[in-house]
Amino acid sequence: MTRTAELSRALTGLSERIESASRAAGRDPAEIRLLPVTKFFPASDIALLYELGRREFGESREQEAAGKVADLGQLSEVRWHMIGRLQRNKAKSVARWAYAVHSVDSERLAAALDAGTAAAREAGLRDTPLRVLLQVSLDSDPSRGGVAPHDLPRLADQVAETEHLELAGLMAIPPLGADPEPEFARLAKLHERLRIDHPEATELSAGMSGDLEAAIRHGSTCVRVGTALMGTRPITSG
């Protein structure tokens, strides 16, 4: 089977899963975006997914992503999402190519992204604000990133007040080994509370290959799928 055929078959299967989960939850499948997570996979795979109709891709390492953006610069209407943990010293670079960042979890990172986006706009490298999703911690594990729930309102207010960022919504990852159902239910409540003060923050980035159905039941608008679409990683992460 060719790589194109593999990816096409996986996309069909994922579309069916998303549609089934949406219908079961009484939701319109069109409300849920499938975001292919292409980290560790070559630019050639992204080009094939583009031919199959995909226009948005998720990356988690700045240097790897920047290389792919350069390699695939001829593709039009592509939106790159930074979904991994981001260090402040990478913010300026990410602001040059990212449509959205899903992992903002501190006021200092938000400030760095705002400054980086301002510089990118001044240099003519982008003409739109950077969309920001706040990563909320569901397990209080600092190594996995995320702002503590009680600090979420203050961070949301800060992002909303910046000139070059748009507060898009929330992102979260369930604790390792946990039942995702109650975790996504908790996340949905946090999102509901956030939207009282920030109604524009409609996006909820939650759910991956193994738990996307539970995430959709609890309001996810974006499922980030790597393994179920791309298969086993061809490149080590070291």
Side-chain angles (χ1 to χ4, degrees):
M1 184 184 298
T2 66
R3 182 60 169 157
T4 300
E6 289 177 354
L7 293 171
S8 179
R9 175 191 285 184
L11 279 172
T12 298
L14 284 165
S15 295
E16 291 172 351
R17 285 179 64 186
I18 291 170
E19 180 168 0
S20 178
S22 301
R23 301 295 186 199
R27 299 181 63 194
D28 181 351
E31 296 175 359
I32 296 96
R33 176 197 302 123
L34 168 62
L35 180 62
V37 176
T38 49
K39 63 181 181 180
F40 307 129
F41 288 86
S44 57
D45 276 354
I46 299 174
L48 294 177
L49 287 168
Y50 184 91
E51 292 177 7
L52 292 169
R54 312 312 301 182
R55 294 294 183 269
E56 300 190 69
F57 306 99
E59 292 285 333
S60 65
R61 301 191 302 181
E62 187 281 325
Q63 187 173 0
E64 178 188 348
K68 292 176 182 177
V69 171
D71 290 344
L72 299 169
Q74 77 280 8
L75 302 182
S76 62
E77 300 179 349
V78 170
R79 290 176 170 178
W80 298 95
H81 295 247
M82 178 65 179
I83 63 172
R85 293 200 70 186
L86 180 59
Q87 297 176 329
R88 293 193 307 279
N89 63 356
K90 302 291 187 180
K92 184 174 182 180
S93 176
V94 167
R96 297 187 183 118
W97 53 261
Y99 165 73
V101 175
H102 291 227
S103 50
V104 174
D105 60 1
S106 74
E107 295 181 21
R108 295 175 72 186
L109 177 56
L113 285 169
D114 186 47
T117 304
R121 296 179 84 170
E122 184 175 348
L125 299 175
R126 67 181 302 137
D127 57 8
T128 60
L130 176 65
R131 290 180 65 76
V132 161
L133 286 85
L134 307 181
Q135 180 179 351
V136 59
S137 174
L138 298 177
D139 58 9
S140 301
D141 182 351
S143 70
R144 302 185 77 208
V147 60
H150 65 267
D151 289 329
L152 189 58
R154 184 173 64 183
L155 180 57
D157 289 345
Q158 181 208 358
V159 169
E161 291 170 1
T162 62
E163 183 178 354
H164 302 284
L165 306 180
E166 287 184 353
L167 179 60
L170 295 184
M171 184 273 268
I173 305 169
L176 292 171
D179 179 357
E181 198 80 36
E183 301 300 332
F184 288 139
R186 180 183 174 205
L187 176 63
K189 291 180 180 178
L190 291 170
H191 190 217
E192 184 178 356
R193 288 201 290 269
L194 174 71
R195 293 193 63 199
I196 293 172
D197 293 326
H198 300 282
E200 75 282 5
T202 58
E203 293 193 36
L204 187 59
S205 176
M208 296 182 283
S209 294
D211 57 17
L212 65 85
E213 285 85 359
I216 289 171
R217 278 193 294 275
H218 294 287
S220 174
T221 63
C222 176
V223 292
R224 311 177 306 274
V225 179
T227 303
L229 173 59
M230 309 301 296
T232 304
R233 293 177 182 175
I235 304 172
T236 62
S237 59

